[in-house]
Amino acid sequence: MRGAEGEPPVVALDNAEIVYDRHFLAVQGVSLEAHRGEIVALLGPNGAGKSTILKMISGIGQTERGEVTRGSVSFEGDDVTNAKTTPMVDRGVTHILEGRRVFEDLTVEENLRCGLYRGGRRLRSKKSDYELAFEYFPQLEDLLDVNAGYTSGGEQQMLVIARALIHRPNLLLLDEPSLGLAPKLVEDIFETMREINKNEDITMIVADQNAKETLEIADHGYVLEGGQIELSGPADELVDREEIKEFYLGAGGDESQYSEVRHYKIRKRYN
């Protein structure tokens, strides 16, 4: 699924180069697209550029002295290169940062309540305030009076996704949602994300190192290394690639030549 004919991608990067502090080149020559209703996977090791790409889409990168110095970023057909956070939030872009950023001293209910506001304005909701959150994460209903800092890692991850869901996003960016969670919990949360994507028609870009779970729910995927895209394609095809099996699923054969190519690039980068 790559969108309806004639409809522009929800978000697209065209040969984007991203630089921090005018000196550090973090991403170079990256082109990618996410079409309406898709889940797009961004895979790669730490430092590959996954978080940087998400931040430049949402506008957070601007606050961290990041800048697209070449190429472009577009949202629903409009050029939003180097846009700031507020206009992107107003257009329905919600970014869940790495590390389960809950307000630890606030209750679960107070955290959810934060999702009801956009730019200081309270959102109108077709459903009761938290009904949508409880529909996908019923566990949270029993934790409303508990301080978020006292909940488990899995409950905090549910909370930040639920809070984002209440925000009614058109595009949801998720950075390392599986980080630090038990495998069964990762499986459950990712399956819930897929249900949200289908039922609520929310386009998602998921940046994660867990290739198996991410590709299982994704429609399309991109594999990054050193700020560049090394592989891309439909998720069900990527998961069968020997390179993915070897480096992300631990099941590659000795005949794979990707290891030699990857190690050569690493040597070239640091020598």
Side-chain angles (χ1 to χ4, degrees):
M1 177 176 62
R2 292 261 77 183
E5 185 176 353
E7 183 181 21
V10 173
V11 64
L13 274 68
D14 182 14
N15 199 32
E17 177 180 281
I18 303 172
V19 173
Y20 278 100
D21 288 323
R22 299 185 179 182
H23 296 291
F24 177 70
L25 179 61
V27 168
Q28 48 189 320
V30 165
S31 296
L32 60 82
E33 296 180 348
H35 291 260
R36 189 163 307 283
E38 280 189 327
I39 296 180
V40 170
L42 291 185
L43 306 175
N46 283 332
K50 306 187 303 298
S51 297
T52 295
I53 289 171
L54 296 188
K55 288 177 179 180
M56 295 313 296
I57 293 171
S58 68
I60 291 176
Q62 285 285 323
T63 67
E64 298 180 349
R65 303 182 70 175
E67 182 182 10
V68 178
T69 54
R70 291 183 182 177
S72 64
V73 180
S74 65
F75 181 76
E76 296 180 334
D78 299 328
D79 189 341
V80 294
T81 307
N82 293 319
K84 296 186 182 300
T85 306
T86 299
M88 298 309 295
V89 170
D90 287 342
R91 295 193 64 165
V93 177
T94 300
H95 189 168
I96 299 178
L97 296 167
E98 177 184 345
R100 299 188 284 276
R101 309 290 182 91
V102 299
F103 300 109
E104 295 185 355
D105 294 331
L106 300 182
T107 66
V108 167
E109 181 178 7
E110 289 168 336
N111 270 267
L112 289 174
R113 194 179 303 159
C114 294
L116 295 171
Y117 293 85
R118 180 185 294 173
R121 303 182 305 276
R122 195 180 194 281
L123 300 175
R124 292 184 177 181
S125 177
K126 296 180 180 178
K127 298 183 178 181
S128 64
D129 288 349
Y130 309 132
E131 183 180 340
L132 193 60
F134 299 151
E135 182 177 333
Y136 294 102
F137 301 105
Q139 303 94 320
L140 296 178
E141 193 165 7
D142 296 327
L143 300 171
L144 289 178
D145 296 327
V146 178
N147 276 20
Y150 289 107
T151 59
S152 69
E155 290 164 346
Q156 290 180 8
Q157 189 63 66
M158 294 176 195
L159 176 56
V160 294
I161 297 174
R163 186 175 63 197
L165 185 58
I166 290 174
H167 206 68
R168 305 288 176 166
N170 299 319
L171 174 65
L172 183 58
L173 310 174
L174 300 104
D175 196 353
E176 300 286 356
S178 75
L179 185 66
L181 300 182
K184 181 61 171 68
L185 189 53
V186 171
E187 183 180 332
D188 292 343
I189 288 179
F190 273 51
E191 181 56 37
T192 302
M193 287 162 47
R194 187 55 170 167
E195 290 178 11
I196 293 170
N197 163 257
K198 289 182 177 179
N199 297 339
E200 309 302 329
D201 194 31
I202 298 174
T203 305
M204 299 181 181
I205 302 180
V206 184
D208 209 287
Q209 295 185 62
N210 189 327
K212 180 179 182 297
E213 296 296 342
T214 310
L215 289 174
E216 282 185 356
I217 66 167
D219 300 290
H220 204 83
Y222 297 87
V223 180
L224 292 103
E225 184 175 337
Q228 296 178 299
I229 293 174
E230 299 294 342
L231 293 170
S232 66
D236 57 354
E237 294 180 10
L238 279 180
V239 77
D240 290 329
R241 292 286 296 261
E242 286 299 321
E243 303 94 321
I244 298 294
K245 291 180 180 179
E246 180 177 356
F247 289 100
Y248 294 97
L249 307 183
D254 293 337
E255 70 278 12
S256 174
Q257 298 179 9
Y258 186 67
S259 175
E260 296 178 8
V261 174
R262 185 173 186 268
H263 292 162
Y264 167 75
K265 290 184 177 182
I266 292 174
R267 289 197 305 272
K268 185 176 180 182
R269 192 180 309 145
Y270 292 106
N271 289 330

